[in-house]
Amino acid sequence: MSRIAAHADLLAQLESRLGRAGLLTDEADLAPYATDWRRLFPGRPLAVARPADTAAVSAVLAACHAAGVGIVPQGGHTGLAGGATPDASGGQVVLSLGRMNAIRRVDPLGLTLEAEAGCILKVAQDAAEAQGRLLPVSLAAEGSAMLGGIIATNAGGINVLRYGMTRGLVLGLEVVLADGTVVDGLRALRKDNAGYDWKQLFIGSEGTLGIVTAAILRLVPRARHTATALLAVPDPAAALRLLEAAQDELGDTIQAFELIARDSLALVAEHAGLASPIGESDWTVLMEAGSSLPGLREAVETLLGEALERGDATDGVIAESGQQAGSLWALREHITEAEARAGKSVKHDVSVPIPAIPDFLAAAGKALATQAPGTRPNIFGHMGDGNIHYNVLIGPEHDPEAINRIVHDAVARFGGSISAEHGIGQYRVDELVRHRRPAEMALAHRIKDALDPQGLLNPGKVLRARV
Ligand code: FAD
Ligand code: MLT
Ligand code: ZN
């Protein structure tokens, strides 16, 4: 029996509730929803449900719950851990939130934005900017990633140093539970200690505990002045000294502090045709500060001058305009795409305590050179948050899982985490079990069992599916 025939009743029920535009079943229509951004996890949806409002999401979940069919929520499908991709069985329904994309309200005085889960991050950022406010989550995929995906992954990005992870920006949340129950917690409150803060369970749960349908996010005032600098530094220890000096001199105006290895810039030059405007160096730092008070640029110039004098930087440039700042950021933002074009790579989205970064980099480099010769690390990331993307380009002779273990073992030696911001998805399920304590995993399963006893929400993501 075909997969459609096997689930004919469910599909008929979904089509009658969602209308023809709301349910895709033709192979050609399903293709864009089937495979992840990196093309690592090819899947096969039974169908794609495209609800237009929360009531329709609730109806889809209730119907799948009654039929015992798994649901895979999907936003912009830019996730890097295969979390939004169905398995290859042809038996899971993808729930695409893309049609629920309204911005309901921007409140410049209350500093909040309320929007539906399918609103694209860049669209929400622009709506905040139009009111002179900033939605401070920013990442290279912001033109496609959606608010529901950002919340479900607790996304990080380049501004975590100053504004924290997405979790800290979610004031109110509306979710739909596995059986279709709608839980409306859309409150625009900064302080709210009335009972359990249940929304935290759903933020970062990667669609395994409930579906995010709408949210109220915290905005911040926009800084009138921004200073963006690119600096060549001799080694990661010098970059750390620069970070410390920047924190001393610029305080909490620093909003981004990114580390980029020479090989990452070489990939960007080769595959994106973008060249760094400063002298070559083993390591480069891209930093940005923002303030509405005058004197920011002068403070950054002083910082840069002192770093050059100390030898912690060997060259540097401060952007003269917004356009120049954009060109400096383009070098950083094209690394992921350049890496994808360069061939096969193994991603490691790791974090270690900030002071341990230089020793971790040395240890991981040594372990790879001895245990997996011929691999090429592509190292970059959010150094100010202790989050390094220690990605490794490999050849056909290398085993990706062995490379994972080598890098993650180094991370563990420094008390780090195997996912700082991308999440577990289906990519790191086994590694999570290896790196989290049994009691932590048991607690995670108890939460999952309480909220999704049939295991229908994003089966096999974050936690091993219970068959
Ligand atoms: P999807 O990929 O569609 O889904 C991600 C996960 O969330 C899946 O498990 C999915 O099932 C679940 N999900 C999606 N929507 C919902 C919903 N409404 N309710 C419940 N669950 C849902 N990430 C960072 O953190 N920092 C970065 O700097 C960063 N840079 C990136 C750069 C590039 C070039 C790319 C391609 C990706 C990058 N990412 C980064 C990863 C990715 O963009 C983020 O994880 C983003 O938050 C995913 O949003 P999305 O809408 O694309 O989610
Ligand atoms: C980024 O910071 O650009 C992404 O999170 C990293 C990646 O592609 O590994
Ligand atoms: Zn990142």
Side-chain angles (χ1 to χ4, degrees):
M1 209 185 338
S2 78
R3 64 183 218 291
I4 303 265
H7 296 285
D9 288 351
L10 172 67
L11 294 177
Q13 202 181 336
L14 293 179
E15 187 174 307
S16 100
R17 177 61 180 82
L18 301 173
R20 295 208 81 164
L23 189 74
L24 310 177
T25 50
D26 289 349
E27 292 291 343
D29 294 336
L30 300 181
Y33 301 87
T35 301
D36 64 303
W37 189 88
R38 296 182 66 206
R39 314 216 151 274
L40 268 191
F41 305 102
R44 186 161 172 253
L46 166 63
V48 176
R50 302 172 64 239
D53 56 27
T54 301
V57 173
S58 164
V60 172
L61 264 71
C64 289
H65 191 251
V69 166
I71 300 259
V72 180
Q74 197 175 102
H77 214 180
T78 67
L80 295 172
T85 308
D87 70 12
S89 68
Q92 298 178 337
V93 171
V94 168
L95 180 73
S96 167
L97 279 298
R99 283 174 81 200
M100 293 175 57
N101 55 16
I103 294 182
R104 293 177 182 162
R105 182 161 193 236
V106 180
D107 176 355
L109 175 61
L111 288 166
T112 58
L113 176 144
E114 178 174 345
E116 293 177 345
C119 176
I120 289 181
L121 174 57
K122 178 76 172 69
V123 173
Q125 290 170 345
D126 290 348
E129 185 173 347
Q131 304 270 351
R133 300 294 179 250
L134 177 75
L135 173 58
V137 193
S138 178
L139 37 91
E142 64 199 21
S144 306
M146 296 176 184
L147 296 183
I150 295 289
I151 292 167
T153 57
N154 185 27
I158 57 173
N159 289 335
V160 171
L161 180 60
R162 183 169 188 179
Y163 299 107
M165 302 283 281
T166 296
R167 183 181 299 286
L169 299 170
V170 180
L171 298 180
L173 202 63
E174 179 185 77
V175 295
V176 180
L177 304 181
D179 63 1
T181 305
V182 178
V183 188
D184 178 351
L186 288 172
R187 282 179 285 270
L189 302 175
R190 309 241 146 196
K191 299 181 79 171
D192 181 7
N193 271 351
Y196 295 139
D197 189 4
W198 56 261
K199 65 179 179 297
Q200 300 302 339
L201 273 181
F202 297 90
I203 303 168
S205 70
E206 303 181 50
T208 60
L209 300 180
I211 308 297
V212 173
T213 44
I216 298 181
L217 299 175
R218 184 167 69 85
L219 305 178
V220 298
R222 278 190 77 76
R224 280 198 203 104
H225 317 288
T226 306
T228 309
L230 191 73
L231 296 97
V233 300
D235 52 41
L240 267 193
R241 288 194 294 275
L242 184 64
L243 174 63
E244 195 175 12
Q247 275 161 341
D248 287 344
E249 302 292 323
L250 305 172
D252 64 2
T253 65
I254 316 173
Q255 48 204 35
F257 194 96
E258 302 282 313
L259 181 70
I260 311 171
R262 180 195 287 267
D263 287 347
S264 308
L265 285 182
L267 286 178
V268 171
E270 189 181 341
H271 297 283
L274 300 174
S276 165
I278 59 172
E280 277 206 22
S281 169
D282 280 350
W283 298 92
T284 297
V285 164
L286 176 57
M287 57 170 285
E288 188 166 272
S291 174
S292 287
L293 300 175
L296 184 71
R297 188 183 169 90
E298 293 73 13
V300 173
E301 279 169 0
T302 305
L303 180 80
L304 182 50
E306 288 172 357
L308 286 166
E309 252 172 51
R310 280 196 314 271
D312 285 342
T314 53
D315 196 4
V317 64
I318 303 175
E320 297 285 349
S321 63
Q323 199 187 2
Q324 271 186 20
S327 307
L328 298 183
W329 275 109
L331 293 167
R332 167 66 181 84
E333 283 166 357
H334 278 82
I335 299 175
T336 299
E337 225 171 291
E339 178 189 296
R341 290 201 190 140
K344 209 166 172 197
S345 68
V346 185
K347 279 198 185 289
H348 303 98
D349 161 42
V350 305
S351 60
V352 294
I354 294 168
I357 291 174
D359 289 344
F360 159 71
L361 290 174
K366 198 169 157 199
L368 274 177
T370 50
Q371 295 172 51
T375 50
R376 286 192 298 144
N378 173 32
I379 305 165
F380 61 100
H382 319 289
M383 186 180 208
D385 315 321
N387 175 193
I388 301 294
H389 297 303
Y390 199 104
N391 300 341
V392 183
L393 292 162
I394 59 168
E397 71 278 25
H398 298 114
D399 168 13
E401 283 173 19
I403 310 282
N404 262 175
R405 284 193 297 273
I406 294 168
V407 175
H408 288 165
D409 286 351
V411 168
R413 288 202 291 283
F414 291 92
S417 168
I418 62 160
S419 178
E421 56 175 14
H422 297 165
I424 299 301
Q426 57 183 298
Y427 179 45
R428 302 186 173 94
V429 171
D430 292 335
E431 282 297 274
L432 184 69
V433 177
R434 232 163 60 78
H435 287 273
R436 283 282 135 112
R437 296 186 174 98
E440 291 181 279
M441 293 308 297
L443 175 59
H445 279 286
R446 283 170 70 177
I447 294 169
K448 172 76 173 168
D449 289 347
L451 285 168
D452 180 19
Q454 286 197 66
L456 297 177
L457 286 178
N458 224 355
K461 314 292 170 45
V462 183
L463 302 175
R464 283 179 184 146
R466 287 203 170 147
V467 239

